[in-house]
Amino acid sequence: MESKYDHQKFEREIYRKWEDPGAFKPGNGKKPFCIIMPPPNANDPLHVGHAMFVAIEDILIRYQRMLGRKTLWLPGTDHAGIETQYVFEKKLAKEGKSRFDFDRETLYKMIWNYVQDNSNVAIDQIKRLGASADWSRKKFTLDPEIVDFVLDTFIKLHQDGLIYRDLKLVNYCVKCGTAFSNLEVGHEERKTPLYYLKYGPFTLATVRPETKFGDTAIAVHPDDKRYKKYVGQEIGAEGLLGKFKIKVIADSSVDPKFGTGAVKVTPYHDHNDFAIWKRHPELPKPAQVIGQSGKLNQNAGKYSGLRVMKAREVIVEDLKRLGLLVKVDENYHNSVGVCYRCGAVIEPLPMKQWFLRVKPLTEKALEALSKKQVRVYGSGHDKILKHWLENLEDWNISRQIVWGIRIPVWYQKNSTEYVVAKESPGKNFVQETDTFDTWFSSSQWPVVTLKTNQPKDFETFYPTDVTETGYDILPFWVMRMLMMGIYLTGEVPFKKVYLHGLIRDEKGQKMSKSKGNVINPLVMIDKYGADALRMALVIRSTPGQDKGMGEGDVRGMRNFSNKIWNAARYINLKSQNSNLKTTIQNPKPDREFYKRLSQTASLATKHLSNYRIGLAAETVYNEFWHWFCDEAIEKNKRQEISDKAIFEGLVTFLKLLHPFMPFVTEAAWGEIKKQKTKNNEQRTMMEEMLISAEWPK
RNA sequence: GGAUCGUUAGCUCAGGGGUAGAGCACUGCAUUCACAUUGCAGGGGCCGUAGGUUCAAAUCCUACACGAUCCACCA
């Protein structure tokens, strides 16, 4: 054995030695254990978030496998609709092209090929972390059988009356060219000038003067004495496009203390105004003034064709000139909806979209939570999940992008009639151009991956045991899987949810490319080994709690890998010269040694079965280094503890450490097995490979 | 406006009613003897503040302060 553990020399070879004979397959255990891997974007390079989920899930999987359970970690990849199309369009832009240069089929094909070319990027990198997943069962969200299942789900939902098409104000990103669900809209505090405009006898405060051509009413609070006389009346006013008339209504959502206590109602360009409009059926149908291009349309008269911000500028100038601008509050701050993907301001636009009625699904999910059919690990996130479920609005599942599963709806030409079907119902029908939100397929992931795999997989492994992911996608993925899993099967899709925290830099700041403080997991693996990275991520981590981490942490754990290796080397060198002595020379110290060894094993086991992974890692770390190495091995050198005890101690610790640091423990296992199996008793203690060894009691 | 979480060593974080822990950083000593990617020794904490419960509080409860995050129809 070399005096230093060389991870580069072992990792790839050991991974093959596990995978080739099928060590990642479920095996013959009686009690099943299953985790569905969160499907990473098919072509996404590895980041530290992936490393975190692999580390934690692989620990759970290896632990359960060693306990002898029929263990399945089912992997897959996601087409990641908007994410992927966004990346692809950026690539097109570099070549001086845009998506509008291609027809739908060509564009889809191009993205498909692009994803194919990169499809192994994520998988190969996840393998480098040591993920012991059953790759023979891997699924991709656009595999034909998956698509087929997802379409069936939509049809079933439609039959059950949970799907509807409606004109609503949706969150539209002009830059990405698609609508989003409410969840994908971020809110940012921004300085936005507040303009006070003259509307006949009223002065109204607004941050969006450019939408005034879509004004449908003026609203005041019902108890506001200043304006009571106008309520119900139509007032005349001078505007940019000449004289106009507008109705005054009373609505209790108006805050009399804000601005002048009177507000313009622009239903097609503001969510709140849309809600007011819905409450007042006496109001006329509103006009839309901004189109999907982000430019003002013909309803804005001479301002049509201007982009929103430019239009605001020009219109404010004109209002000023006409004396219709009373004053401007330049220091006003408000919260603006922005696209989570590209950061552009979200434009609320009226569009016909497909919605999923969520109430019947959230009710069942809440029931499952209150019956404790699902347990959430992650400080406070159980309450957050509940809050989400109690307040969830209908889910807009339409996206105006091509990279995704096309909605199976067919419209009859020159008619509003439509048919929901997988195949075209006839020549006079054209298919809906929208695709599903990526999360629509992800929400069915535990069900669909098990149902389209080996014959008995679904029956054996559903409901799965744990779902594990970062808390940042709790509402996007976990909540929706819970809803859809129950809907499709009548049972929860998982019994436990483990939400890991986000990894920050060593100063506790968020990692971002622009800050340059990103830890690249592949660089860490190359430098210090996958084991070191995994252990650094996991040790003393707490579910739901963020953790700061730097290269020093990884280096420290690399030192630990080396410590493990050298403990094995110590035993090997010893037995090279003479057979290990099996006679117990000092019964009392040995007894104490065995006692602490078994206490350590049961403590680690207790922590792991309670999903206290960070604590389990810390326990085995401390006991191995500071007790087994620093004390016990030193005593063995002085023959105060027997060789047999030390050998058995090492065997136990390699097993306890294996889920956390699989490569170095497997390498060390191989070395001691190779070196010393003359002694029968020792040989029978060691199974062929550590990955399939039995967990210590 | 609502909610959730946090505040422990210089930094990053564990712990969670009974004498304060780890990694990194720091100081001193040790080098053919598994490992210098090491060992031994050490410095460094009124565990955010104020009350309460208790024989006993860093730990449980209440309030407050500060910080972070999420949600929200702040015109």
Side-chain angles (χ1 to χ4, degrees):
Chain A
M1 282 175 89
E2 305 285 327
S3 70
K4 286 189 169 92
Y5 171 63
D6 179 4
H7 61 272
Q8 302 267 18
K9 193 174 140 193
F10 286 99
E11 289 186 353
R12 285 172 202 273
E13 186 197 335
I14 286 177
Y15 196 87
R16 267 197 303 278
K17 282 189 179 166
W18 288 328
E19 192 179 11
D20 290 350
F24 302 159
K25 297 198 182 205
N28 302 319
K30 271 194 184 148
K31 211 177 157 196
F33 181 87
C34 179
I35 297 178
I36 306 288
M37 185 186 287
N41 294 3
N43 58 337
D44 220 14
L46 200 69
H47 58 71
V48 75
H50 294 117
M52 189 65 178
F53 90 63
V54 170
I56 291 173
E57 291 173 34
D58 200 42
I59 287 165
L60 294 174
I61 286 287
R62 285 178 189 266
Y63 166 60
Q64 296 290 345
R65 188 184 288 124
M66 289 172 83
L67 284 177
R69 290 174 73 171
K70 191 184 191 72
T71 305
L72 172 62
W73 190 13
L74 202 164
T77 51
D78 190 20
H79 67 284
I82 185 67
E83 301 275 345
T84 303
Q85 182 158 334
Y86 181 79
V87 169
F88 187 77
E89 284 186 29
K90 278 216 309 218
K91 186 174 160 283
L92 278 184
K94 271 190 194 155
E95 297 161 9
K97 293 176 198 151
S98 100
R99 67 157 136 163
F100 302 108
D101 297 335
F102 307 94
D103 63 43
R104 184 188 184 99
E105 282 69 32
T106 312
L107 187 61
Y108 187 91
K109 198 102 202 211
M110 287 164 72
I111 303 178
W112 179 275
N113 291 336
Y114 170 74
V115 170
Q116 279 309 111
D117 290 345
N118 297 292
S119 66
N120 284 327
V121 170
I123 296 300
D124 288 346
Q125 295 182 349
I126 282 171
K127 286 182 177 180
R128 287 206 59 198
L129 282 158
S132 62
D134 183 357
W135 300 105
S136 72
R137 283 176 161 86
K138 175 184 158 303
K139 291 287 175 186
F140 175 47
T141 44
L142 297 182
D143 285 342
E145 67 277 17
I146 303 282
V147 172
D148 196 58
F149 186 97
V150 169
L151 295 180
D152 280 336
T153 299
F154 180 80
I155 292 166
K156 182 172 148 64
L157 286 164
H158 182 260
Q159 281 165 355
D160 289 345
L162 297 176
I163 296 285
Y164 63 93
R165 188 174 189 235
D166 194 11
L167 180 93
K168 288 197 196 183
L169 270 205
V170 298
N171 309 294
Y172 195 85
C173 175
V174 168
K175 211 168 151 194
C176 293
T178 182
F180 287 108
S181 77
N182 297 352
L183 306 197
E184 279 128 328
V185 180
H187 293 274
E188 277 179 19
E189 184 83 359
R190 292 206 182 161
K191 192 168 147 183
T192 318
L194 182 64
Y195 304 95
Y196 286 76
L197 313 184
K198 232 174 149 44
Y199 272 64
F202 289 88
T203 298
L204 312 180
T206 180
V207 292
R208 301 207 63 185
E210 74 279 8
T211 63
K212 74 193 302 293
F213 314 108
D215 293 349
T216 307
I218 291 170
V220 299
H221 194 274
D223 303 333
D224 197 328
K225 287 181 190 142
R226 293 172 291 177
Y227 304 119
K228 213 148 200 172
K229 58 184 173 186
Y230 296 111
V231 173
Q233 288 187 13
E234 209 167 49
I235 58 134
E238 186 78 27
L240 290 170
L241 303 173
K243 287 188 197 308
F244 65 95
K245 286 187 166 182
I246 191 161
K247 200 148 191 187
V248 181
I249 56 168
D251 194 284
S252 52
S253 72
V254 179
D255 178 3
K257 290 198 262 324
F258 187 94
T260 59
V263 59
K264 72 192 197 69
V265 180
T266 320
Y268 276 180
H269 297 288
D270 182 281
H271 284 106
N272 193 33
D273 293 1
F274 190 83
I276 294 178
W277 177 63
K278 283 275 181 188
R279 285 196 290 269
H280 294 269
E282 74 273 21
L283 293 176
K285 186 173 183 287
Q288 179 175 354
V289 279
I290 300 164
Q292 288 176 32
S293 57
K295 293 174 183 167
L296 269 58
N297 67 14
Q298 67 283 354
N299 290 328
K302 61 179 176 181
Y303 303 101
S304 85
L306 293 177
R307 296 207 155 272
V308 167
M309 288 315 284
K310 182 71 188 167
R312 186 177 302 176
E313 204 178 291
V314 174
I315 285 168
V316 167
E317 275 310 306
D318 286 358
L319 285 166
K320 205 183 280 175
R321 211 154 26 74
L322 292 170
L324 294 170
L325 182 67
V326 178
K327 65 167 179 172
V328 185
D329 179 357
E330 292 283 358
N331 288 317
Y332 180 68
H333 282 75
N334 71 346
S335 141
V336 179
V338 293
C339 174
Y340 86 108
R341 176 61 270 173
C342 74
V345 172
I346 288 288
E347 200 61 61
L349 291 181
M351 283 172 74
K352 275 203 165 177
Q353 301 275 280
W354 292 94
F355 291 88
L356 173 60
R357 214 180 291 284
V358 298
K359 195 79 190 292
L361 307 184
T362 53
E363 278 171 355
K364 293 231 167 108
L366 282 164
E367 194 186 321
L369 282 183
S370 69
K371 283 185 179 164
K372 303 220 161 45
Q373 289 165 351
V374 182
R375 169 150 184 208
V376 180
Y377 294 81
S379 36
H381 285 283
D382 48 340
K383 293 172 207 158
I384 292 172
L385 174 60
K386 195 161 168 263
H387 186 262
W388 270 108
L389 285 165
E390 282 165 349
N391 296 288
L392 196 64
E393 286 176 32
D394 284 354
W395 178 8
N396 174 7
I397 53 174
S398 307
R399 296 292 177 275
Q400 290 72 51
I401 56 172
V402 306
W403 185 238
I405 301 173
R406 201 163 166 179
I407 297 179
V409 167
W410 304 80
Y411 301 99
Q412 198 162 359
K413 282 174 192 161
N414 308 318
S415 158
T416 53
E417 295 292 306
Y418 68 83
V419 176
V420 175
K422 281 194 252 184
E423 303 293 334
S424 171
K427 278 197 171 162
N428 289 324
F429 288 86
V430 285
Q431 190 175 359
E432 168 66 64
T433 52
D434 287 357
T435 50
F436 287 122
D437 178 2
T438 295
W439 298 105
F440 184 68
S441 42
S442 314
S443 70
Q444 304 164 50
W445 204 232
V447 182
V448 65
T449 50
L450 286 169
K451 282 215 168 172
T452 58
N453 241 303
Q454 308 278 312
K456 287 272 174 203
D457 276 0
F458 181 78
E459 289 72 13
T460 308
F461 295 109
Y462 194 94
T464 67
D465 293 86
V466 188
T467 208
E468 195 282 338
T469 191
Y471 66 76
D472 51 335
I473 57 172
L474 172 72
F476 294 98
W477 194 46
V478 178
M479 174 182 74
R480 286 162 171 171
M481 276 196 291
L482 187 58
M483 290 157 55
M484 292 299 286
I486 296 173
Y487 171 72
L488 288 167
T489 71
E491 282 185 280
V492 292
F494 35 73
K495 297 168 209 155
K496 295 185 165 72
V497 179
Y498 187 103
L499 297 169
H500 64 248
L502 274 27
I503 299 297
R504 296 162 174 275
D505 73 4
E506 65 274 4
K507 290 177 197 137
Q509 292 180 314
K510 261 189 187 168
M511 287 188 188
S512 73
K513 279 180 194 161
S514 54
K515 278 190 204 152
N517 59 351
V518 177
I519 289 185
N520 182 339
L522 292 170
V523 172
M524 294 297 113
I525 292 173
D526 284 339
K527 262 176 116 165
Y528 304 113
D531 292 323
L533 175 62
R534 290 166 59 124
M535 195 58 162
L537 286 166
V538 153
I539 193 165
R540 268 168 264 115
S541 72
T542 311
Q545 219 64 62
D546 293 354
K547 188 179 180 185
M549 214 187 89
E551 186 165 342
D553 296 271
V554 187
R555 196 184 304 120
M557 293 305 136
R558 184 275 316 268
N559 296 351
F560 184 55
S561 314
N562 196 52
K563 194 75 184 175
I564 297 170
W565 175 256
N566 270 288
R569 184 162 179 260
Y570 168 75
I571 286 180
N572 261 7
L573 289 175
K574 209 172 156 78
S575 55
Q576 246 167 19
N577 305 322
S578 62
N579 240 336
L580 286 174
K581 295 178 184 126
T582 54
T583 45
I584 298 169
Q585 299 153 323
N586 299 295
K588 198 185 166 205
D590 268 15
R591 261 205 313 278
E592 278 166 12
F593 173 86
Y594 280 116
K595 193 178 162 198
R596 180 144 176 192
L597 186 64
S598 97
Q599 278 170 348
T600 303
S602 48
L603 188 56
T605 305
K606 190 180 129 200
H607 288 327
L608 277 175
S609 13
N610 291 334
Y611 292 86
R612 296 166 71 114
I613 296 169
L615 207 47
E618 186 175 21
T619 302
V620 289
Y621 179 99
N622 283 337
E623 289 300 299
F624 180 76
W625 195 317
H626 299 307
W627 171 63
F628 182 74
C629 293
D630 291 349
E631 291 179 32
I633 289 185
E634 292 309 312
K635 280 185 186 163
N636 173 258
K637 285 179 186 170
R638 303 190 296 265
Q639 281 302 303
E640 290 166 27
I641 287 178
S642 72
D643 292 349
K644 180 171 187 269
I646 284 296
F647 179 81
E648 291 182 10
L650 179 67
V651 166
T652 298
F653 269 111
L654 287 181
K655 290 177 173 184
L656 293 178
L657 287 161
H658 181 257
F660 305 95
M661 309 182 82
F663 290 110
V664 65
T665 49
E666 190 74 79
W669 184 265
E671 293 295 330
I672 56 173
K673 200 156 62 85
K674 190 161 64 186
Q675 177 58 39
K676 217 9 152 189
T677 44
K678 291 177 210 158
N679 185 308
N680 279 333
E681 198 183 345
Q682 285 157 23
R683 190 188 303 128
T684 51
M685 277 177 57
M686 295 185 62
E687 295 88 341
E688 265 311 294
M689 277 203 291
L690 184 53
I691 188 174
S692 15
E694 197 183 330
W695 186 255
K697 292 199 180 69

